[in-house]
Amino acid sequence: MADTHLEKVKSALGITGNYQDVTLKIYIEEVMAYMENAGVSIDVINSDVSAGVIARGVMDLWNYNASAGKLSDYFYQRVSQLAYTSKEVAGNV
């Protein structure tokens, strides 16, 4: 599942190569699980419309400042919005 968004997340983070792929996949899976538990459908999670919020969540978890591990307000707001997005809408974005 994490493979679906790995390249987009790496691009958003400015990461090249595959050295961090395992760590990034763990964070991507964590973010995707959070989204699913928050009510975002699997179809929406796996669509391109979720790539940005998944990248934001990974950045929040990666957190470059002393491993605070706190998700951003933007992440929470965007996940809330996506919980109300249908797979049909996600497919047309």
Side-chain angles (χ1 to χ4, degrees):
M1 242 162 87
D3 292 332
T4 306
H5 292 291
L6 179 62
E7 290 307 314
K8 289 181 181 180
V9 168
K10 286 171 62 173
S11 179
L13 291 171
I15 295 174
T16 58
N18 59 6
Y19 178 71
Q20 297 291 343
D21 284 5
V22 172
T23 301
L24 290 170
K25 285 180 184 180
I26 291 168
Y27 286 143
I28 291 168
E29 289 170 0
E30 185 70 18
V31 169
M32 293 171 77
Y34 179 93
M35 292 172 68
E36 184 176 7
N37 289 328
V40 181
S41 76
I42 293 295
D43 291 325
V44 172
I45 291 170
N46 288 327
S47 73
D48 287 341
V49 75
S50 291
V53 72
I54 291 171
R56 175 75 255 170
V58 169
M59 285 187 263
D60 291 345
L61 293 176
W62 188 280
N63 205 349
Y64 296 103
N65 61 19
S67 65
K70 182 179 178 185
L71 294 167
S72 64
D73 289 339
Y74 173 81
F75 176 81
Y76 291 126
Q77 292 168 2
R78 187 68 179 124
V79 168
S80 294
Q81 291 172 342
L82 290 175
Y84 293 100
T85 301
S86 68
K87 68 179 181 180
E88 293 79 19
V89 170
N92 291 323
V93 173

